């Protein structure tokens, strides 16, 4: 859990933790691998809540079920916000994505789009047949090659998620939705691995041609890739609305677009309609990236 400096007006003491060094804070205590083990050891030394400070942000490590339930369930409104991923949100420009956006109107809008389609009654009504078919396919694949059960499970989950979201596995040009979605996931993972700009956010304002600014050049390339992929998925979803294929018309994106069109009609409040369509498109990617 992360909280920025100065976000609270209360002068209450922070939970215990290792003493921070000047400027560096606790950056030397931050684990580079085996995070769960490292944070568990901090809990053994400092208790269920451990406070760490690194340049640009503070980190609260929660090491007990009771503390997690108290903070994340009973006080969910207070602690529902996201950390400041400088590279991902500000440099790469993904702050509008549901998984990374703060607790704001954009987050609530995308959550509303996801809430109903993922509810048990809707899943049972619209997607039971798809889930049954994919479960049967998985068992058949495991029967033929039982040693590949884990790879086949990943494949089945990817196919199911993609068909549920877009209604098909590829568009009319033969572009594979699963491979395109994996590319988006790869970019997210790389951007979340940690860059110097996450520790020193002011670096994002320096020119990209300076030495050490490769992260800005990488971000520009990745941002274009993501924009292109968003366009591919969105245009395909609009095509699916006119499709005669039941799976395509029942997909999350198709039904969401139909709802937006019914809400606004033609030629009314174009700006708000476009904003809702973009929120829907980005929420659709969460089915795959969040699986």
């Amino acid at each position: 859990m992360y909280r920025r400096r100065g976000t609270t007006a209360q002068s209450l003491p922070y939970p215990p933790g290792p003493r921070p060094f000047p400027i560096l804070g606790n950056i030397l205590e931050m684990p580079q691998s085996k995070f769960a083990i490292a944070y568990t050891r901090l809990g053994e030394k400092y208790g269920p809540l451990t406070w760490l400070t690194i340049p640009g942000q503070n980190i609260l490590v929660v090491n007990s079920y009771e503390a997690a339930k108290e903070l994340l369930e009973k006080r969910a409104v207070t602690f529902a916000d996201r950390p400041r991923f400088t590279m991902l949100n500000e440099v790469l420009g993904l702050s509008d994505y549901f998984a990374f956006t703060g607790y704001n109107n954009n987050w609530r809008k995308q959550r509303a789009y996801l809430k109903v389609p993922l509810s048990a009654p809707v899943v049972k009504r619209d997607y039971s047949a798809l889930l049954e078919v994919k479960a049967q396919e998985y068992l058949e694949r495991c029967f033929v090659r039982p040693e590949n059960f884990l790879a086949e499970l990943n494949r089945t989950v990817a196919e199911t998620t993609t068909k549920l979201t877009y209604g098909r596995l590829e568009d009319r040009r033969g572009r594979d939705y699963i491979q395109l979605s994996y590319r988006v996931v790869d970019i997210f993972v790389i951007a979340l691995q940690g860059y110097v700009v996450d520790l020193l956010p002011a670096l994002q304002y320096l020119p990209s041609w300076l030495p050490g600014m490769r992260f800005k050049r990488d971000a520009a390339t990745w941002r274009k890739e993501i924009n292109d992929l968003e366009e591919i998925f969105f245009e395909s979803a609009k095509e699916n609305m006119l499709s005669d294929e039941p799976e395509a018309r029942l997909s999350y994106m198709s039904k969401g677009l139909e709802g937006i069109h019914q809400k606004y009609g033609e030629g009314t409040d174009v700006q708000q309609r476009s904003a809702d369509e973009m929120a829907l498109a980005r929420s659709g990617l969460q089915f795959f990236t969040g699986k």
Side-chain angles (χ1 to χ4, degrees), residues 69-288:
K69 185 174 182 179
E70 175 67 28
L71 296 177
L72 303 178
E73 182 177 312
K74 296 182 179 179
R75 307 187 195 179
V77 174
T78 302
F79 296 100
D81 211 347
R82 299 290 194 275
R84 181 185 182 182
F85 298 119
T86 304
M87 176 63 179
L88 191 79
N89 285 351
E90 299 173 37
V91 182
L92 190 51
L94 299 182
S95 59
D96 287 337
Y97 275 78
F98 179 73
F100 313 122
T101 189
Y103 187 64
N104 52 31
N105 288 334
N106 181 57
W107 183 89
R108 286 187 284 272
K109 180 180 292 187
Q110 293 193 44
R111 185 179 184 275
Y113 281 131
L114 291 164
K115 183 178 180 180
V116 174
L118 292 179
S119 64
V122 174
V123 170
K124 182 178 181 180
R125 183 191 68 204
D126 294 343
Y127 307 120
S128 290
L130 170 64
L131 296 175
E132 289 176 4
V133 168
K134 288 301 176 183
Q136 183 175 348
E137 289 179 357
Y138 172 64
L139 294 175
E140 291 173 352
R141 292 168 182 170
C142 288
F143 180 78
V144 175
R145 294 184 177 180
E147 69 278 7
N148 292 339
F149 74 95
L150 188 56
E152 292 296 348
L153 177 61
N154 289 332
R155 174 184 173 185
T156 301
V157 171
E159 290 179 353
T160 304
T161 304
T162 302
K163 295 206 74 172
L164 186 151
T165 309
Y166 302 108
R168 51 181 57 151
L169 299 180
E170 60 182 31
D171 65 8
R172 298 183 186 280
R173 299 183 185 178
R175 290 176 292 199
D176 189 321
Y177 285 158
I178 294 178
Q179 294 304 315
L180 295 177
S181 297
Y182 271 133
R183 179 53 187 160
V184 175
V185 174
D186 288 343
I187 293 174
F188 288 173
V189 171
I190 294 171
L192 282 169
Q193 286 179 349
Y195 282 78
V196 65
V197 71
D198 290 312
L199 300 179
L200 300 172
L203 292 178
Q204 65 180 299
Y205 303 111
L206 296 179
S208 59
W209 50 263
L210 286 176
M213 294 295 108
R214 179 177 175 179
F215 70 89
K216 295 195 70 172
R217 298 189 290 272
D218 289 343
T221 300
W222 296 336
R223 179 67 260 182
K224 185 179 184 307
E225 279 192 70
I226 291 176
N227 285 341
D228 292 343
L229 293 174
E230 286 177 350
E231 185 69 18
I232 290 172
F233 288 134
F234 186 66
E235 291 301 319
S236 296
K238 289 196 293 186
E239 291 178 2
N240 286 346
M241 289 179 60
L242 305 175
S243 173
D244 294 330
E245 301 173 24
E247 286 186 350
R249 292 189 61 86
L250 284 174
S251 67
Y252 168 77
M253 287 296 297
S254 292
K255 295 187 71 174
L257 282 174
E258 287 179 0
I260 291 174
H261 289 185
Q262 291 173 2
K263 177 180 178 181
Y264 292 104
E266 295 296 334
T268 60
D269 204 348
V270 175
Q271 185 176 359
Q272 185 59 49
R273 174 176 171 174
S274 297
D276 283 4
E277 288 177 343
M278 182 55 66
L280 175 70
R282 288 174 174 168
S283 70
L285 278 174
Q286 304 307 306
F287 276 85
F288 197 91

